[in-house]
Amino acid sequence: MTTIPLRLKELSRQEDRFAYGHRMCAGCGAPIVVKQVLMATDYPIIAANATGCLEVSTCISEYTAWKIPWIHSAFENAAATISGVEAMYRSLVRQGRIDDRQVKFIAFGGDGGTYDIGFQSLSGAMERGHDMLYICYDNEAYMNTGIQRSSATPFGANTTTCPAGEVIPGKPQNRKDLTRIMAAHNIPYAAQASPGHWMDLMKKVRKAFEIKGPKFMNIIAPCNRGWRSRTDDAIMLSKLAVDTCYWPLYEIENGVTRITVKPREKKPVTEFLKGQGRFKHMFAPGHEWMLEQAQEYVDREWERLQKEAAFWAEEEKAE
C-alpha cells in the first residue's frame, strides 16, 4: 500500500518518474496528468502507451522522459499490450520464477486511442478481467495528427474535420460518455478526474491500485493547440470544466455511483467555453441556440448523475 502522504511538501520531495525535458507543447495538460498519476503511488509500475501526443513527444529515439518500464504500442492496442504483460507477470509469479513485487500495470491513451481506435482492445481487456488500470488523457480530439474530431469532441467544437462554417457550425453531435460505457462492463472501478483537482485525482489512482481487477479513469487534459486557449490555462480550464459540471468528478465502485467533488456554486457552461477559440463561433450573433443546447445537455447530465448518486446514498443508509 502507498505510504506517501498526500501533502504537497512530501510529494515535492519524490523523484519524478516522468522527467522534464520531453517535447510536449508548453502548457499541455497531458504531462500534468501523467506526473500526478505516477506521483500518487510508490508501487512499481509498468506502463503501455498508445500512439499519440504523449507517446511521440516523450520518447524520441534513445531519449525518454519515462523513468519506469514503458512500452509504446500502436494506436489501437495499448490495453491489449498491457493486459498481455500483466498476464505474463501473473504466470511467472504462479510458476515461482519471479517474486511478486506488487507491480501495477497502467495503459495510457488519448481520446482517439481510447474512445475510438483503441476501444475494441480496451473493451476486451476489461471484459477479460485483467488486473490493470487504463487511463485516458482526454483532450477531446485527434490533436497529434491535426485536430480532427473524435467521439470525445464536444458539441459545437471547431475542428479540422468538422469546421465551423456556413454548412455546419462545428461538431453537431454530443460527446460519447465513455466513463459510463466502461462502468457498464461491470468492472469494479471507473472514475472521472481532473488535474485541477489533484488530490481527488491522486486519491482515485490510489483507490484503483488497491482494487483487484480492471479499472478505468477518464481524465480531462486541456490542449491549448486544439482548444485555442492560452498556454497557461490548462489548470484553470480543467477547474472550470468541473465548476460548470461539464466534467463532473465522480466514481462508480462496484456499481455504486458517488460524486467526489461538488461545485460550491455551479457556473454556466459559457465560463468554460469562452476561453477557448474552438467555441468562438458559438458566441456570435445567431448562434445563441448553440449555447442554450450546450447548457441544456450539461444540466441534463448533471441532474442525472446527482439522482443516481442520491439513490445509492439512500441505499447505503438503508443497509
Side-chain angles (χ1 to χ4, degrees):
M1 181 178 292
T2 298
T3 58
I4 307 163
L6 282 182
R7 293 190 294 268
L8 290 176
K9 187 175 182 180
E10 281 76 10
L11 292 171
S12 67
R13 293 171 177 163
Q14 287 184 244
E15 179 189 5
D16 280 333
R17 292 201 273 185
F18 184 76
Y20 52 85
H22 51 73
R23 275 71 160 182
M24 299 294 283
C25 294
C28 176
I32 301 172
V33 167
V34 174
K35 275 184 175 287
Q36 290 183 6
V37 169
L38 297 181
M39 194 176 289
T41 182
D42 52 9
Y43 278 120
I45 291 174
I46 298 174
N49 196 169
T51 298
C53 293
L54 182 63
E55 172 269 320
V56 300
S57 301
T58 60
C59 192
I60 301 171
S61 185
E62 68 269 30
Y63 300 101
T64 179
W66 299 85
K67 294 185 177 181
I68 59 172
W70 176 89
I71 307 166
H72 167 219
S73 292
F75 223 143
E76 67 274 12
N77 65 350
T81 298
I82 203 64
S83 67
V85 175
E86 182 267 348
M88 178 191 69
Y89 176 81
R90 301 299 167 201
S91 174
L92 293 174
V93 170
R94 287 194 301 270
Q95 295 174 51
R97 296 173 63 181
I98 61 172
D99 295 328
D100 189 352
R101 297 179 54 209
Q102 297 298 306
V103 176
K104 302 300 178 181
F105 302 89
I106 304 181
F108 289 99
D111 52 281
T114 305
Y115 283 66
D116 299 335
I117 299 173
F119 181 74
Q120 49 83 23
S121 66
L122 170 59
S123 178
M126 298 292 105
E127 184 272 332
R128 292 192 301 272
H130 291 279
D131 190 9
M132 56 174 279
L133 170 61
Y134 190 103
I135 290 180
C136 175
Y137 63 96
D138 190 345
N139 53 33
E140 302 190 326
Y142 289 87
M143 302 305 186
N144 179 50
T145 53
I147 316 175
Q148 300 93 345
R149 57 92 79 196
S150 75
S151 61
T153 304
F155 166 76
N158 180 10
T159 73
T160 55
T161 49
C162 55
E166 295 181 0
V167 178
I168 58 169
K171 188 188 174 195
Q173 301 91 4
N174 287 312
R175 68 196 317 275
K176 183 192 291 184
D177 191 347
L178 185 61
T179 307
R180 288 183 176 276
I181 292 171
M182 298 316 301
H185 285 66
N186 293 321
I187 61 177
Y189 191 74
Q192 284 195 175
S194 162
H197 291 71
W198 62 270
M199 186 172 288
D200 176 78
L201 186 155
M202 289 187 176
K203 284 181 178 179
K204 286 170 177 171
V205 171
R206 289 189 172 189
K207 177 179 281 191
F209 280 151
E210 299 306 323
I211 296 172
K212 188 172 180 58
K215 288 82 59 173
F216 175 82
M217 285 182 64
N218 207 358
I219 307 177
I220 193 167
C223 166
N224 54 69
R225 284 287 294 117
W227 292 19
R228 298 293 186 255
S229 56
R230 290 164 51 98
T231 56
D232 59 352
D233 277 356
I235 295 302
M236 181 198 73
L237 287 171
S238 63
K239 287 181 177 179
L240 281 173
V242 175
D243 291 341
T244 59
C245 298
Y246 169 84
W247 189 266
L249 301 185
Y250 67 98
E251 60 186 9
I252 303 175
E253 185 177 1
N254 295 318
V256 177
T257 301
R258 300 184 189 90
I259 297 172
T260 57
V261 174
K262 272 195 174 183
R264 294 180 182 177
E265 178 185 354
K266 182 175 177 286
K267 297 180 180 179
V269 75
T270 50
E271 293 296 302
F272 172 67
L273 303 179
K274 68 183 181 181
Q276 305 174 54
R278 61 178 177 156
F279 299 116
K280 182 179 179 180
H281 58 287
M282 294 173 65
F283 292 86
H287 284 176
E288 293 82 3
W289 66 273
M290 297 188 74
L291 296 176
E292 292 173 3
Q293 186 170 322
Q295 187 65 65
E296 288 171 1
Y297 176 76
V298 168
D299 291 344
R300 183 171 64 250
E301 292 302 301
W302 176 239
E303 185 65 24
R304 180 177 71 157
L305 179 62
Q306 289 186 101
K307 287 180 179 178
E308 188 176 327
F311 169 81
W312 286 111
E314 289 300 317
E315 287 291 301
E316 290 180 336
K317 284 181 183 178
E319 291 180 356

